[in-house]
């Protein structure tokens, strides 16, 4: 087919597809349950694999190529020699760890040109899933309906220990049991963990973080958010601590890479470790989230970001000090704003309420009222009853306990009371702490956060010392913090070190309690630990029990509904198809972006949008090798897979089990999918595998890495000159 004809066909398909509604499939499914619940639907959507190809405990299967990366992201094996692909923002800590002013891998990128150059990362690990087992019956053996929540928890903990102990005895495996459906089911995950994981490659941040916080959570996107690692095993192939004798792991499976490209309607599957979702929250909880919790934390973070904006605009030193902290604060600030908009657009509270009304009716008929009759009423009572407590809980955590000075105080408190913590330990912490700290900025943040706490929280949760001090300073937060910071020894490094020189470890605690800043922190910590937490725990335990009952009832009532458990950091499969979306009336987004867009966004004066010279050169010469398509270089694409935080780095897999991209974000309009999924709006964002290979090969000249991989091209044959 010539190019014009293929464009014509594409246009035709686009038109046809835009008249159909989305094929997005809600849910993050357990891999060992796919054959019953999902296999047929996945195949109807175009998948050519069987459930057994995805998860099998006897033969090698796709799951053997998927790892939990450090416990917070996902990674995947892409070569028979242990090469792992994940996001740049997942490897960020490691890339930063190996960086210094002279050798700045964050700015310049890093490519190991031989195995010897690969960099060891203390503490980093990857875990494979060996098998998943339903252990519900064993875990709940002996649990009775009348049991107190506390007794139930103790019993379950004991059972869990016994079962995991037995499952791993005599092996080097580990096992974890997690509750699903609020404790109606329990599954055990047997894992194998490798602790020698080396950094192999990372693009410069101007590629790996292109668009920065401005583009974060947004489509259209142009970020090359990937990095490469390698897992090493002992000479026997088993996990081993870092050693020069270790060898690259021979994985049971690795993903071939498909250079054939993506078209709307193509089947996609995301296989990884999503962190947390709350799909079954009641209307009361959603109402509380949208009208109280999210606005509260958005507002607090907005205040912080405003202060940091100013501090960073006025000083290059501060800009660097606060870059990573700023990114951390901005990430969820932006997500919550999108989440709230999405929940409102979906009328989430109303929809949930309607569901609950139906449940309530069902629960109070057919002799079920003893078991389920008061569930909905109790939800309302509990959520209504603790408004003030919840506000205090959310405000103290978001505003006070997250202050840098609070983190420092916590550590000093620990130093004073913990025998095993040495002077070297605390000094190492102090060194790192003040490196990214500016006293004037911290004082401003403290003033603003104390004011927020005062504004949001009722009297019974206000520390008396805080009230007294504030009165003394005429209710003026600037005066108050000026006093606190002037009188304190912890607000500046030299002062603190001098203080530690002067006072023996034994006396540090007592002395610090006279320090106004430190002791104010302790007063807040006391309120949190003694007044807020215990009450919060009581209501949470009640809610746990209610949700468990509600969940059991829902599943009984809607016998034919296909339920999926909330994400909880365990291995899941989400699937859907490549597709764009309509973010607003009159606007249509394509499913892909290209290098053209990077050049359009280029701004040499804005660190987030700098384009490396080499990339521009490749663009001008259109030197895309086998990775381009129709004279263009694809960069990112969207698809309708249900994903969440933790899915970062997850492979996007095509109908035949090959890698076509890696997941790294969600589109803004769909960020409410942690609570309610909308097939029309929820899109995950991935880097196109072709862009990744292009950067490795043409930009970095690390073609030796590509030679390790197994490439296929369903579009046209891979030219012989690829990866030269
Ligand atoms: N939003 C993505 C996630 O939740 C990416 C965050 C990292 N990128 C950034 N610009 N801060 O992790
Ligand atoms: N960036 C997220 C992560 O680190 C993935 C985006 C999302 O929340 O879906 O896991």
């Amino acid at each position: 087919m010539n190019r014009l004809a293929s464009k014509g066909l594409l246009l035709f398909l686009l038109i046809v597809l835009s008249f159909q509604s989305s094929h997005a499939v809600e849910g993050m499914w357990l891999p060992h349950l796919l054959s019953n619940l999902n296999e047929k639907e996945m195949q109807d959507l175009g998948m050519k694999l069987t459930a057994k190809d995805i998860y099998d405990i006897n033969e090698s299967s796709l799951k053997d190529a998927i790892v939990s990366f450090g416990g917070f992201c996902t990674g995947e094996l892409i070569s028979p020699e242990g090469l792992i692909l994940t996001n740049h923002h997942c490897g960020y800590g490691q890339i930063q760890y190996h960086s210094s002013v002279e050798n700045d891998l964050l700015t310049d990128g890093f490519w190991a040109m031989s195995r010897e150059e690969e960099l060891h990362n203390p503490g980093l690990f990857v875990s494979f899933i060996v098998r998943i087992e339903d252990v519900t019956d064993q875990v709940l053996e002996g649990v009775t309906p009348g049991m107190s929540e506390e007794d139930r928890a103790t019993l379950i903990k004991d059972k869990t220990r016994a079962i995991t102990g037995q499952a791993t005895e005599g092996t080097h495996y580990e096992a974890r049991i997690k509750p699903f459906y609020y404790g109606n089911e329990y599954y055990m995950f047997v894992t194998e963990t490798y602790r020698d994981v080396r950094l192999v490659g990372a693009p410069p941040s101007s590629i790996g973080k292109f668009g920065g916080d401005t583009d974060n959570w947004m489509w259209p996107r142009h970020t090359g958010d990937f990095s490469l690692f390698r897992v090493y095993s002992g000479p026997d192939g088993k996990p081993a601590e870092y050693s020069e004798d270790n060898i690259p792991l021979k994985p049971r499976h690795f993903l071939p890479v498909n250079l054939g490209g993506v078209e709307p309607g193509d089947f996609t599957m995301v296989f990884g470790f999503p962190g947390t979702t709350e799909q079954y929250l009641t209307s009361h909880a959603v109402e509380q989230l949208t009208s109280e919790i999210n606005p509260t934390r958005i507002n607090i973070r907005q205040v912080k970001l405003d202060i940091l904006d100013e501090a960073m605009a006025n000083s290059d030193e501060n800009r660097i000090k606060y870059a990573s902290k700023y990114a951390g604060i901005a990430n969820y600030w932006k997500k919550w704003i999108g989440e709230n908009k999405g929940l409102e657009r979906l009328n989430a509270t109303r929809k949930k309420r309607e569901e609950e009304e139906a449940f309530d009716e069902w629960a109070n008929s057919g002799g079920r009222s003893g078991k389920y009759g008061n569930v909905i009423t109790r939800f309302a009572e509990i959520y209504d009853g603790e408004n003030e407590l919840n506000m205090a809980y959310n405000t103290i955590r978001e505003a006070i306990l997250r202050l840098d000075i609070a983190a420092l105080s916590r550590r000093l408190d620990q130093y004073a009371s913990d025998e095993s913590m040495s002077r070297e330990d605390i000094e190492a912490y102090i060194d790192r702490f003040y490196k990214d700290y500016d006293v004037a900025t911290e004082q401003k943040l403290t003033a603003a956060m104390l004011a927020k706490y005062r504004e949001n929280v009722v009297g019974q949760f206000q520390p008396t010392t805080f009230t007294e001090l504030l009165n003394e300073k005429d209710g003026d937060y600037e005066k108050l913090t000026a006093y606190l910071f002037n009188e304190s020894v912890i607000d500046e490094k030299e002062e603190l070190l001098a203080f530690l020189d002067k006072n023996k470890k034994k006396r540090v605690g007592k002395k610090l309690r006279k320090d106004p800043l430190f002791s104010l922190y302790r007063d807040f910590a006391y309120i949190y630990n003694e007044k807020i937490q215990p009450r919060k725990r009581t209501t949470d335990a009640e809610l746990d029990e209610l949700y468990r009952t509600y969940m059991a009832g829902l599943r009984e009532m809607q016998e034919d509904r296909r339920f999926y458990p909330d994400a909880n950091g365990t291995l899941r499969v989400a699937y859907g198809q490549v597709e764009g979306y309509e973010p607003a009336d009159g606007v249509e987004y394509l499913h892909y972006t290209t290098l053209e867009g990077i050049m359009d966004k280029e701004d040499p004066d804005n660190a987030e949008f700098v384009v490396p010279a080499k990339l521009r050169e490749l663009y001008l010469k259109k030197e895309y090798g086998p990775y381009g398509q129709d004279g263009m270089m694809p960069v990112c694409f969207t698809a309708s897979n249900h994903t969440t935080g933790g899915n970062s780095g997850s492979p996007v897999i095509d109908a035949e089990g090959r890698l076509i991209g890696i997941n790294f974000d969600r589109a803004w309009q769909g960020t409410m999918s942690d609570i309610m999924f909308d097939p029309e709006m929820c899109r995950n964002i991935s880097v196109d595998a072709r862009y990744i290979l292009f950067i490795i090969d043409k930009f970095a000249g690390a073609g030796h890495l590509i030679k390790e991989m197994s490439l296929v091209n369903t579009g046209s044959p891979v030219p012989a000159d690829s990866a030269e």
Side-chain angles (χ1 to χ4, degrees):
M1 198 169 3
N2 67 33
R3 192 180 296 167
L4 217 61
S6 83
K7 278 239 166 97
L9 180 64
L10 189 68
L11 199 67
F12 170 75
L13 280 174
L14 276 173
I15 291 166
V16 171
L17 283 166
S18 64
F19 285 111
Q20 290 180 351
S21 64
S22 163
H23 283 89
V25 179
E26 174 177 353
M28 302 173 184
W29 304 90
L30 281 160
H32 67 299
L33 302 179
L34 293 175
S35 57
N36 279 337
L37 294 172
N38 315 89
E39 186 181 53
K40 177 159 188 320
E41 183 181 47
M42 292 170 92
Q43 289 169 345
D44 287 346
L45 278 171
M47 184 179 75
K48 300 285 190 297
L49 307 168
T50 63
K52 245 172 112 56
D53 295 329
I54 299 171
Y55 174 90
D56 194 7
I57 52 172
N58 299 315
E59 307 293 326
S60 76
S61 57
L62 289 188
K63 79 140 172 53
D64 298 318
I66 316 297
V67 290
S68 165
F69 184 85
F72 52 89
C73 275
T74 304
E76 51 277 357
L77 275 295
I78 54 164
S79 96
E81 296 173 78
L83 196 60
I84 282 191
L85 182 62
T86 188
N87 289 145
H88 185 263
H89 80 262
C90 295
Y92 203 76
Q94 279 72 38
I95 304 167
Q96 180 173 36
Y97 171 79
H98 294 292
S99 294
S100 60
V101 179
E102 302 78 48
N103 186 23
D104 185 350
L105 311 192
L106 282 175
T107 304
D108 305 331
F110 169 75
W111 306 96
M113 289 301 167
S114 68
R115 298 279 154 90
E116 289 70 44
E117 287 176 25
E118 296 177 358
L119 299 172
H120 168 49
N121 302 288
L124 181 63
F125 64 86
V126 297
S127 293
F128 291 87
I129 299 294
V130 177
R131 62 175 197 273
I132 309 172
E133 266 176 56
D134 184 348
V135 290
T136 311
D137 290 343
Q138 292 105 292
V139 171
L140 293 182
E141 196 193 320
V143 169
T144 56
M147 217 170 211
S148 77
E149 277 300 285
E150 222 180 329
D151 290 348
R152 185 179 192 273
T154 313
L155 191 66
I156 289 177
K157 209 164 145 199
D158 292 346
K159 289 268 188 251
T160 297
R161 197 171 306 131
I163 300 165
T164 52
Q166 208 174 17
T168 54
E169 206 185 305
T171 73
H172 62 279
Y173 297 149
E174 286 161 279
R176 259 192 326 166
I177 294 178
K178 289 218 168 181
F180 290 74
Y181 300 111
Y182 292 94
N184 282 294
E185 289 174 16
Y186 287 83
Y187 290 95
M188 174 164 68
F189 296 78
V190 178
T191 57
E192 183 176 40
T193 297
Y194 287 83
R195 297 177 192 281
D196 184 352
V197 184
R198 305 184 194 170
L199 178 62
V200 174
S205 294
S206 53
I207 289 173
K209 219 189 156 186
F210 184 80
D213 289 314
T214 305
D215 278 6
N216 194 18
W217 300 110
M218 305 288 255
W219 184 254
R221 190 66 156 277
H222 299 87
T223 315
D225 196 343
F226 80 93
S227 59
L228 291 164
F229 288 80
R230 191 184 305 280
V231 201
Y232 281 77
S233 70
D236 60 354
K238 298 246 169 67
E241 292 300 322
Y242 172 79
S243 155
E244 287 195 7
D245 300 333
N246 286 349
I247 57 168
L249 176 75
K250 301 250 169 298
R252 281 162 62 91
H253 186 69
F254 67 91
L255 300 177
V257 180
N258 184 358
L259 298 180
V262 295
E263 298 295 347
D266 284 356
F267 173 84
T268 57
M269 160 174 130
V270 172
F271 205 176
F273 293 87
T276 312
T277 61
E278 299 180 288
Q279 310 291 341
Y280 303 100
L281 283 185
T282 66
S283 62
H284 326 86
V286 175
E287 172 66 26
Q288 190 182 64
L289 182 75
T290 49
S291 68
E292 281 167 42
I293 299 176
N294 274 347
T296 302
R297 48 194 190 181
I298 291 165
N299 173 270
I300 289 171
R301 289 199 179 196
Q302 180 72 64
V303 172
K304 288 192 203 174
L305 291 171
D306 287 347
I307 292 171
L308 292 183
D309 267 331
E310 202 190 309
M312 290 163 80
N314 295 332
S315 138
D316 264 353
E317 206 183 319
N318 280 341
R319 188 176 51 72
I320 294 166
K321 281 182 172 173
Y322 283 96
S324 162
K325 287 177 184 175
Y326 190 96
I329 298 169
N331 193 29
Y332 266 64
W333 164 78
K334 197 161 176 183
K335 192 244 177 182
W336 292 324
I337 295 174
E339 180 174 272
N340 248 26
K341 281 185 197 288
L343 290 171
E344 271 155 35
R345 192 178 54 239
L346 288 180
N347 284 310
T349 309
R350 201 188 67 211
K351 279 189 196 140
K352 295 263 180 184
R353 199 177 306 121
E354 284 164 9
E355 248 174 58
E356 286 150 21
E357 278 161 13
F359 179 86
D360 204 40
E361 204 169 295
W362 173 86
N364 286 294
S365 62
R368 287 177 286 257
S369 62
K371 208 165 162 193
Y372 299 120
N374 64 356
V375 167
I376 301 298
T377 323
R378 280 296 292 145
F379 269 125
E381 284 167 7
I382 295 181
Y383 277 114
D384 262 5
E386 291 290 12
N387 275 335
E388 290 175 347
L389 174 75
N390 281 321
M391 186 52 98
Y393 176 81
N394 288 304
T395 305
I396 200 165
R397 286 170 64 100
E398 195 59 47
I400 306 293
L401 301 179
R402 272 180 201 270
L403 283 170
D404 284 349
I405 216 75
L408 174 67
S409 301
R410 193 157 44 238
R411 197 53 79 99
L412 288 169
D413 211 7
Q414 192 191 350
Y415 171 66
S417 59
D418 182 346
E419 292 278 320
S420 70
M421 205 168 163
S422 70
R423 176 71 192 255
E424 286 78 58
D425 293 339
I426 193 70
E427 261 181 45
Y429 178 83
I430 288 172
D431 265 349
R432 251 179 298 129
F433 178 86
Y434 289 102
K435 193 169 148 278
D436 293 339
Y437 167 98
D438 170 64
V439 63
T441 306
E442 186 63 15
Q443 188 172 326
K444 278 197 194 119
L445 286 168
T446 306
M449 292 301 107
L450 288 174
K452 275 287 155 214
Y453 192 79
R454 196 81 191 162
E455 180 188 318
N456 287 357
V457 175
V458 294
Q460 61 164 310
F461 301 119
Q462 300 284 347
T464 22
T465 42
F466 174 39
T467 309
E468 284 164 15
L469 270 174
L470 189 62
N471 286 340
E472 248 171 60
K473 307 292 169 200
D474 314 316
D476 183 332
Y477 291 93
E478 269 166 43
K479 253 199 219 171
L480 171 67
T481 45
Y483 159 76
L484 290 171
F485 278 69
N486 281 339
E487 299 299 314
S488 174
V489 300
I490 70 170
D491 66 322
E492 276 179 286
K493 185 176 178 180
E494 289 65 36
E495 262 185 285
L496 179 55
L497 289 177
F499 167 83
L500 292 175
D501 278 339
K502 234 178 24 219
N503 294 284
K504 291 221 172 66
K505 184 169 169 15
K506 275 209 303 272
R507 295 176 43 85
V508 162
K510 210 166 157 200
K511 281 273 179 167
L512 274 178
R513 255 161 260 171
K514 300 210 178 80
D515 186 284
L517 198 49
F518 177 85
S519 69
L520 186 61
Y521 157 76
R522 277 190 47 114
D523 295 338
F524 273 105
Y526 174 83
I527 292 276
Y528 181 65
N529 293 328
E530 305 298 325
K531 297 257 151 67
I532 298 178
Q533 281 270 51
R535 244 169 86 184
K536 177 79 180 149
R537 255 186 242 122
T538 312
T539 39
D540 282 355
E542 260 182 282
L543 282 174
D544 282 349
E545 189 185 349
L546 266 184
Y547 271 111
R548 195 165 66 237
T549 312
Y550 179 48
M551 201 66 236
L554 266 182
R555 294 173 85 189
E556 205 177 305
M557 173 176 122
Q558 304 175 346
E559 255 182 345
D560 296 329
R561 175 170 161 196
R562 193 174 50 158
F563 285 87
Y564 62 94
D566 271 319
N568 59 357
T570 59
L571 184 62
R572 302 296 177 91
V573 172
Y575 53 96
Q577 61 179 9
V578 174
E579 53 183 323
Y581 67 110
E582 293 173 23
D585 185 38
V587 185
E588 204 173 326
Y589 279 157
L590 293 182
H591 66 282
Y592 70 99
T593 58
T594 70
L595 197 45
E596 299 288 332
I598 294 186
M599 302 319 298
D600 286 344
K601 284 179 178 174
E602 179 180 25
D603 179 357
D605 299 325
N606 180 345
E608 291 184 327
F609 294 99
V610 169
V611 176
K614 177 78 199 257
L615 187 59
R616 157 197 293 279
E617 190 188 310
L618 291 168
Y619 165 77
L620 291 173
K621 292 194 195 144
K622 300 263 172 294
E623 213 181 302
Y624 304 151
Y627 315 111
Q629 181 183 349
D630 303 332
M632 292 187 303
M633 186 63 234
V635 175
C636 293
F637 67 89
T638 54
S640 48
N641 301 286
H642 193 177
T643 54
T644 188
N647 267 129
S648 273
S650 300
V652 186
I653 297 173
D654 72 5
E656 294 185 54
R658 297 164 303 213
L659 182 96
I660 47 175
I662 50 171
N663 184 74
F664 70 98
D665 212 357
R666 267 175 293 168
W668 173 250
Q669 295 81 0
T671 42
M672 69 296 181
S673 65
D674 292 346
I675 289 142
M676 194 178 269
F677 188 81
D678 175 6
E680 302 300 328
M681 285 296 180
C682 291
R683 297 293 176 267
N684 64 309
I685 303 179
S686 308
V687 201
D688 194 304
R690 294 170 296 177
Y691 187 58
I692 296 174
L693 265 54
F694 161 74
I695 294 295
I696 296 174
D697 188 356
K698 302 290 172 187
F699 176 83
H704 63 286
L705 295 173
I706 303 213
K707 286 211 179 102
E708 279 185 42
M709 304 174 196
S710 165
L711 307 186
V712 288
N713 191 332
T714 50
S716 55
V718 181
D721 80 330
S722 71
E724 283 308 313

